[in-house]
């Protein structure tokens, strides 16, 4: 079969909403796009463990500690499913990790902000995991089979994460004046960084068009951001808090809110490595990787010995 025949099969599958599987022919740009997107996603899950892991020892009750611990462990699991999905595209785990550890690969800008108070753990679960769900629900129907299947399980866990965050916010927002102030302060600091999670405006997003064309993504950055604002404003109102945006206003004609865009200069600065915590996050990840070397070596020796026993039997 000539290349254009392969291409016809590929396009035909996309048109019929069928999945592309690792053994199928795919255009090189599609493969590259997926490796970039899935590995950035995996790195975000792993780096995302750091700002919250930071609070496990300081959780205000045993229940809160157990819940947070479970959530942070889930994020580690998400990273592993996603690295495995990326590996089916012909890239090795070592290459992927090396790109993260040397700062070559990107991860979500949001994890370069500090978690200063316990209310931040509430805001992260509620807003950051909430935004992640909005992005990820559509990825369950992504055209690449292994990515799509990983996302089904991830989404179930993300909705638990969102609820645990909102529960923390509810306790604080309906608590004492000081607690309510803490909740408002966390909302003020996390609102705009969360909106940045959907990526730059469509007019400046070079990868968005291909991602939609190939059915990797089903909606654009701006569509998702609008939906997030519309949904979250109601939750803010229920909590009796205020969205930190003086220009937020219901627009009847578009059946959604008008709102202030996040600061895109700040966003670019963070994704190029200069956010408040970029260096700290990479240093912590590298330290954890180096300290885990003996575990990886031991696991490999054990696996080798075990296969020798099976072969001899
Ligand atoms: Fe996750
Ligand atoms: Fe999560």
């Amino acid at each position: 079969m000539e290349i254009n025949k392969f291409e016809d099969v590929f396009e035909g599958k996309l048109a019929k909403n069928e999945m592309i599987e690792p053994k199928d022919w795919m255009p090189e740009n599609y493969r590259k796009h997926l490796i970039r997107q899935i590995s950035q996603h995996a790195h975000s899950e792993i780096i995302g463990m750091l700002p919250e892991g930071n609070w496990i020892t300081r959780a205000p009750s045993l229940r809160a500690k157990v819940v947070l611990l479970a959530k942070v462990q889930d994020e580690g699991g998400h990273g592993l499913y996603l690295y495995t999905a990326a590996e089916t595209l012909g890239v090795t785990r070592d290459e992927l990790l090396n790109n993260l550890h040397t700062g070559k690969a990107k991860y979500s800008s949001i994890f370069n902000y500090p978690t200063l108070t316990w209310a931040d753990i509430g805001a992260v679960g509620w807003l950051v995991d909430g935004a992640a769900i909005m992005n990820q629900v559509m990825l369950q129907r992504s055209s690449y089979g292994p990515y799509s299947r990983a996302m089904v399980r991830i989404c179930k866990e993300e909705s638990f994460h969102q609820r645990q965050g909102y529960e923390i916010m509810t306790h604080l927002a309906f608590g004492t004046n000081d607690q309510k102030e803490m909740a408002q302060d966390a909302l003020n600091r996390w609102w705009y960084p969360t909106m940045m999670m959907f990526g730059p405006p469509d007019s400046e997003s070079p990868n968005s068009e291909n991602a939609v064309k190939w059915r990797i993504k089903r909606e654009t950055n701006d569509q998702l951001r609008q939906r997030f604002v519309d949904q979250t404003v109601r939750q803010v109102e229920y909590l009796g808090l205020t969205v930190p945006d003086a220009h937020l206003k219901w627009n009847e004609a578009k059946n959604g809110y008008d709102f202030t865009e996040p600061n895109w200069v700040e966003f670019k600065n963070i994704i190029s490595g200069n956010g408040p915590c970029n260096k700290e996050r990479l240093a912590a990840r590298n330290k954890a990787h180096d300290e885990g070397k003996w575990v990886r070596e031991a696991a490999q020796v054990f696996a080798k010995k075990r296969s020798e026993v099976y072969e001899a039997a």
Side-chain angles (χ1 to χ4, degrees), residues 9 13 20 40 46 57 86 116 264:
V9 175
K13 283 195 168 186
I20 308 297
Q40 278 183 13
I46 300 294
T57 53
L116 302 177
W264 294 116

Side-chain angles (χ1 to χ4, degrees), residues 25-272:
W25 183 90
M26 60 189 84
E28 202 43 36
N29 285 342
Y30 175 83
R31 183 193 304 276
K32 283 202 184 120
H33 183 105
L34 277 169
I35 291 176
R36 190 183 52 80
Q37 182 172 332
I38 301 175
S39 61
Q40 278 183 13
H41 193 163
H43 299 328
S44 303
E45 301 282 356
I46 300 294
I47 295 286
M49 297 168 81
L50 296 169
E52 289 174 293
N54 182 32
W55 275 91
I56 291 171
T57 53
R58 292 177 287 164
S61 70
L62 182 60
R63 181 181 180 276
K65 191 192 288 277
V66 170
V67 173
L68 183 60
L69 193 58
K71 185 214 188 250
V72 173
Q73 277 181 331
D74 282 353
E75 307 298 10
H78 297 173
L80 294 182
Y81 309 151
L82 291 165
Y83 282 128
T84 309
E87 283 174 304
T88 65
L89 292 155
V91 61
T92 66
R93 181 83 57 108
D94 283 346
E95 279 173 80
L96 295 171
L97 290 178
N98 194 45
N99 288 346
L100 174 63
H101 296 152
T102 54
K104 200 175 146 205
K106 301 221 179 318
Y107 55 86
S108 178
S109 56
I110 194 78
F111 300 118
N112 292 310
Y113 290 90
T115 42
L116 302 177
T117 69
W118 177 248
D120 286 23
I121 299 304
V124 167
W126 169 37
L127 300 173
V128 175
D129 289 82
I133 294 171
M134 206 143 272
N135 249 320
Q136 292 173 1
V137 160
M138 67 168 178
L139 295 174
Q140 294 179 93
R141 295 180 295 129
S142 158
S143 62
Y144 188 56
Y147 192 27
S148 155
R149 289 187 288 272
M151 291 320 302
V152 173
R153 180 153 175 192
I154 290 176
C155 279
K156 287 191 181 130
E157 293 173 347
E158 293 300 353
S159 46
F160 149 63
H161 300 171
Q162 200 262 355
R163 274 175 220 162
Q164 68 86 33
Y166 199 63
E167 185 191 50
I168 294 173
M169 292 307 278
T170 310
H171 279 144
L172 296 173
F174 294 105
T176 63
N177 284 343
D178 283 351
Q179 285 174 317
K180 188 168 180 182
E181 233 169 72
M182 254 172 85
Q184 182 65 52
D185 168 63
L187 172 60
N188 293 348
R189 283 180 292 106
W190 289 92
W191 176 257
Y192 288 103
T194 304
M195 287 215 284
M196 293 176 192
M197 287 174 67
F198 298 100
D202 294 349
S203 54
E204 291 167 37
S205 174
N207 301 313
S208 233
E209 200 181 317
N210 272 342
V212 173
K213 184 183 87 189
W214 286 324
R215 297 190 192 277
I216 295 172
K217 278 180 77 162
R218 302 263 170 166
E219 287 171 287
T220 68
N221 299 352
D222 286 335
Q223 287 169 331
L224 291 163
R225 188 163 19 247
Q226 180 71 53
R227 172 132 22 95
F228 176 79
V229 171
D230 294 344
Q231 181 182 298
T232 310
V233 168
R234 277 175 230 136
Q235 297 167 348
V236 175
E237 284 168 355
Y238 173 79
L239 293 174
L241 301 177
T242 311
V243 176
D245 179 358
H247 298 106
L248 184 87
K249 194 166 176 274
W250 179 255
N251 179 334
E252 196 64 48
K254 74 170 183 187
N255 195 29
Y257 283 93
D258 289 332
F259 57 89
T260 307
E261 291 275 319
N263 179 344
W264 294 116
V265 175
E266 179 181 320
F267 173 76
K268 281 185 190 141
N269 198 28
I270 291 181
I271 55 171
S272 38

